[in-house]
Amino acid sequence: TQCASCAKAVCTTHQGVCEVDGLVHCSQHLRRTDTSRRTVCARHVATCAQEPAVTFASDEVAPCPVCGKAVCTRHRAPCEYCGRLVCTADLASVAPGRGRRPGLRCSTCTHLAAVRDPPDALISAALTATSGRPKPPRVWRMARDRTHVVVEVDLGLTRTTVFTVRHGQSVPDSIVNHSLLGSKRRR
């Protein structure tokens, strides 16, 4: 069989299959991952930004929305405010305060700033996120990160909706409703 890495012929004794792409490679082009012990070729070897010395398969790490770095599942956790999976290095504990609920928030959610005139695409996304409420939100707060715009709309009576929109889109990627009774992720 021909090696997918170097194109040389390889016998059955000295070949193996990359568990990501399913192609045959020479044994010298394959490596075992440190955690799952899967066999992968050089093209599918990856590292976690939080553990650069540990080898992972490329499908065991994913880029996080705030920092854009690839991290493993152990170093990803949900932001309790916007609902996205983010790098644990981008999470911070927020103490309760005026208008703030306690919990873990990503660095984007901790930097939300008031906006007077939101873009039209975000107004359209807000209608979807708030189920088309006829009354416009009282206060808008926004922040940008590597992949999304995070928007918080104050619906009054201690109710807020937080949604995220990918850059260049007008449809919410995630929606979380917050009230005194707790938080509920809708999408």
Side-chain angles (χ1 to χ4, degrees), residues 23-35:
L23 299 176
V24 173
H25 296 270
C26 299
S27 57
Q28 69 184 25
H29 292 119
L30 293 172
R31 180 174 179 178
R32 287 215 178 268
T33 61
D34 293 331
T35 55

Side-chain angles (χ1 to χ4, degrees), residues 7-135:
K8 292 182 181 176
V10 59
C11 67
T12 55
T13 306
H14 295 102
Q15 72 179 4
V17 175
C18 173
E19 293 184 41
V20 175
D21 63 16
L23 299 176
V24 173
H25 296 270
C26 299
S27 57
Q28 69 184 25
H29 292 119
L30 293 172
R31 180 174 179 178
R32 287 215 178 268
T33 61
D34 293 331
T35 55
S36 65
R37 305 303 297 159
R38 292 170 64 201
T39 305
V40 295
C41 65
R43 191 174 78 205
H44 292 104
V45 170
T47 59
C48 172
Q50 299 299 317
E51 284 187 279
V54 178
T55 302
F56 292 92
S58 60
D59 60 358
E60 296 173 338
V61 297
C64 286
V66 177
C67 62
K69 295 176 183 171
V71 294
C72 64
T73 55
R74 194 175 119 206
H75 291 104
R76 277 192 307 256
C79 170
E80 293 173 5
Y81 205 59
C82 68
R84 299 179 298 167
L85 282 176
V86 298
C87 180
T88 54
D90 293 324
L91 283 174
S93 182
V94 175
R98 187 172 172 229
R100 285 193 324 222
R101 289 162 189 77
L104 290 175
R105 290 191 188 183
C106 66
S107 57
T108 307
C109 289
T110 60
H111 290 96
L112 292 170
V115 174
R116 292 184 191 266
D117 189 24
D120 291 339
L122 293 181
I123 293 172
S124 173
L127 288 172
T128 302
T130 60
S131 301
R133 295 185 197 272
K135 191 173 157 186

